[in-house]
Amino acid sequence: VALAAAISSLQPSSLQLLESLWLVTPAEFFERAVVGFRDVCNHIVLKIDEDPIQNWKKLNNIFSVLQKLSNVNSRRENMIPRNTFYIKIMSNDLLKILKNPLMEYPCVFDTETKDEIFQKRCAISWWPYKGNVHNVQVKRDAILRDTLQVLRSKSAVEYKLPLQVSFENEPAIDQGGVKKEFFSVISRQLVEKGQTFFVVDDTSGLVWFKPENCSDMYHLVGILCGMALYNHCVADLHFPSVLFKKLLAMEPTLDDFLELHPTLGRTLQDVLDEEEDNIENLYLDFTVQVGVQQHELIANGRDIPVTKYNRQEYVDKYVDFFLNKSVKKQFEDFKRGFLFGCPCEMWTVFFPDELKTVLSGTEVFDWTVLEKVCFNNINRGENLISTL
């Protein structure tokens, strides 16, 4: 506890030095430090009511250190598992956490706890408007067109209300199921019919913004995604992980580009892996082609060849161009819509992959079909290991 207080009070220069040491600490010792602070947290949480003021102060200091360790862990080559940072929070402590600034330290909560806290905070934000709902009525056979028209006419206050969806000429009352169906159908239609506004990679099947298009569609799709999150529904538009990193103000990497564009990403990786003496034979320069237009990645880029000395810069600029600069307006419109549709800002506690899971859901496998495919030629009772 005293060590955590001392670390929390370090000057920025001293803290930077400490973090640089953590960055190169062997994984075994780094994990041991995390486990030590985490176990102290678990102990304090169990006796939080004995001295609430002092115990919250201790927890804040330790949480702060764990968050710093987590930030360093994300930059380490040999990262330790994220669940090493989780503390055990009992359900009756959740309301206490909601009243305290502990959500500044997302690393200590697992995804389920974060989602539970997020849902509670959304419900609290509805209280001032008790009895009112955000009504959306659409025709089932024109769901996409009607929805976009409705979204263009809504005010900011309406998005703060709990959503209630109805399909015209259908008597069903929305107790949760109708709006879940609504987001499922409209997500599928956006993926199928949105080629005018989005690019779908042939290999990954993932969706990205179209650089040359500046329609209000990106703002509207952002609103839809925000609404889905705010109302605890799934909207799977096949977005890549990098979208959620960008929403959380994290910089894209080559790995993100590889996920979205595997073929082109492997080409960039090949540039980094190429034998040094062969780089010049690739005849690359600091330009990129988008449609019929050529863009310079740096000033005078068409006159600067890619060499063994600047190839890392070339790859970094290439990734930055495609994932940031070329879609800057489109992404900004999407994020503005997202914040509009989800007025509860606590979604920022999620890590990118967690936010993606909460919004887009997880794949559901039909294990019966899988069994038939994988074990069709294996007799029941037969030794599986020997068969494989």
Side-chain angles (χ1 to χ4, degrees):
V1 174
L3 178 59
I7 293 174
S8 297
S9 62
L10 285 175
Q11 294 296 315
S13 58
S14 300
L15 179 60
Q16 187 175 7
L17 175 61
L18 178 61
E19 290 180 347
S20 67
L21 293 174
W22 284 343
L23 198 60
V24 296
T25 299
E28 178 186 354
F29 298 105
F30 184 78
E31 183 169 0
R32 193 177 300 174
V34 172
V35 169
F37 284 114
R38 182 202 66 195
D39 288 349
V40 172
C41 274
N42 286 327
H43 177 71
I44 295 174
V45 166
L46 291 174
K47 59 175 188 176
I48 190 73
D49 293 326
E50 294 178 12
D51 188 351
I53 295 176
Q54 284 303 312
N55 282 334
W56 279 123
K57 185 176 180 181
K58 293 175 183 176
L59 278 176
N60 271 305
N61 284 332
I62 301 174
F63 282 177
S64 177
V65 173
L66 282 170
Q67 188 60 50
K68 290 178 175 63
L69 285 162
S70 175
N71 294 341
V72 169
N73 187 51
S74 66
R75 308 197 316 266
R76 286 172 56 91
E77 290 186 9
N78 49 349
M79 293 173 58
I80 65 173
R82 188 188 296 162
N83 60 10
T84 310
F85 293 85
Y86 295 165
I87 62 168
K88 298 174 183 177
I89 298 289
M90 295 181 293
S91 58
N92 61 353
D93 290 307
L94 290 175
L95 289 177
K96 295 176 183 176
I97 292 171
L98 285 174
K99 299 175 184 176
N100 288 272
L102 300 185
M103 299 315 290
E104 297 174 14
Y105 317 121
C107 73
V108 300
F109 301 99
D110 60 29
T111 307
E112 291 73 21
T113 303
K114 289 179 188 177
D115 193 29
E116 185 174 351
I117 295 172
F118 173 70
Q119 290 190 34
K120 286 180 180 291
R121 179 56 61 88
C122 290
I124 289 172
S125 68
W126 297 337
W127 289 354
Y129 312 97
K130 191 173 182 181
N132 296 307
V133 295
H134 177 192
N135 278 308
V136 172
Q137 186 180 68
V138 294
K139 299 184 184 70
R140 186 178 288 276
D141 59 358
I143 184 172
L144 184 56
R145 183 199 65 197
D146 285 4
T147 299
L148 296 179
Q149 289 178 349
V150 167
L151 294 182
R152 289 187 177 104
S153 66
K154 293 290 183 178
S155 67
V157 173
E158 290 177 278
Y159 290 108
K160 296 180 181 180
L161 307 176
L163 179 65
Q164 190 167 81
V165 176
S166 61
F167 290 104
E168 195 171 289
N169 299 321
E170 294 186 24
I173 297 175
D174 187 6
Q175 296 181 333
V178 179
K179 64 173 172 270
K180 290 181 188 301
E181 181 190 7
F182 166 78
F183 282 109
S184 175
V185 173
I186 201 164
S187 297
R188 186 167 60 249
Q189 289 200 11
L190 277 168
V191 173
E192 292 172 353
K193 301 178 180 180
Q195 288 86 349
T196 305
F197 313 98
F198 296 100
V199 179
V200 181
D201 185 87
D202 292 336
T203 305
S204 70
L206 296 174
V207 171
W208 195 236
F209 307 108
K210 213 165 193 175
E212 60 271 21
N213 196 305
C214 292
S215 145
D216 72 338
M217 190 71 167
Y218 303 109
H219 177 66
L220 298 175
V221 172
I223 290 176
L224 273 172
C225 289
M227 285 172 57
L229 185 67
Y230 188 60
N231 291 277
H232 323 310
C233 295
V234 169
D236 184 11
L237 271 70
H238 301 179
F239 283 126
S241 301
V242 68
L243 175 72
F244 303 94
K245 288 182 70 173
K246 285 170 67 66
L247 283 171
L248 292 164
M250 297 181 183
E251 283 300 314
T253 65
L254 177 56
D255 286 339
D256 298 317
F257 192 79
L258 275 161
E259 180 200 17
L260 176 58
H261 298 302
T263 303
L264 192 51
R266 284 193 293 270
T267 300
L268 293 178
Q269 186 63 60
D270 289 343
V271 171
L272 295 177
D273 297 338
E274 186 65 60
E275 293 289 337
E276 291 187 356
D277 295 336
N278 294 332
I279 293 295
E280 284 79 359
N281 295 331
L282 298 176
Y283 300 105
L284 296 171
D285 55 36
F286 277 74
T287 62
V288 62
Q289 195 80 21
V290 178
V292 297
Q293 289 188 321
Q294 187 181 62
H295 299 266
E296 292 185 320
L297 299 176
I298 58 177
N300 302 314
R302 60 174 51 88
D303 299 321
I304 302 175
V306 177
T307 68
K308 62 184 177 182
Y309 302 107
N310 63 17
R311 56 180 167 178
Q312 183 64 62
E313 181 187 10
Y314 168 75
V315 170
D316 292 342
K317 294 292 185 182
Y318 199 106
V319 170
D320 179 58
F321 178 81
F322 271 100
L323 299 184
N324 288 327
K325 291 180 178 176
S326 68
V327 294
K328 185 175 186 292
K329 175 69 164 59
Q330 292 82 351
F331 172 73
E332 287 176 349
D333 286 350
F334 176 89
K335 184 171 184 179
R336 183 165 49 86
F338 185 85
L339 297 176
F340 210 62
C342 183
C344 178
E345 296 181 359
M346 195 173 278
W347 60 269
T348 56
V349 303
F350 294 106
F351 285 103
D353 60 309
E354 293 175 326
L355 183 58
K356 181 179 181 181
T357 297
V358 172
L359 178 61
S360 304
T362 54
E363 293 188 59
V364 178
F365 297 99
D366 189 329
W367 296 108
T368 304
V369 173
L370 182 64
E371 182 183 13
K372 289 179 180 178
V373 172
C374 295
F375 303 108
N376 191 43
N377 297 318
I378 299 177
N379 296 322
R380 293 189 181 276
E382 188 176 348
N383 188 305
L384 178 60
I385 301 298
S386 64
T387 303
L388 296 176

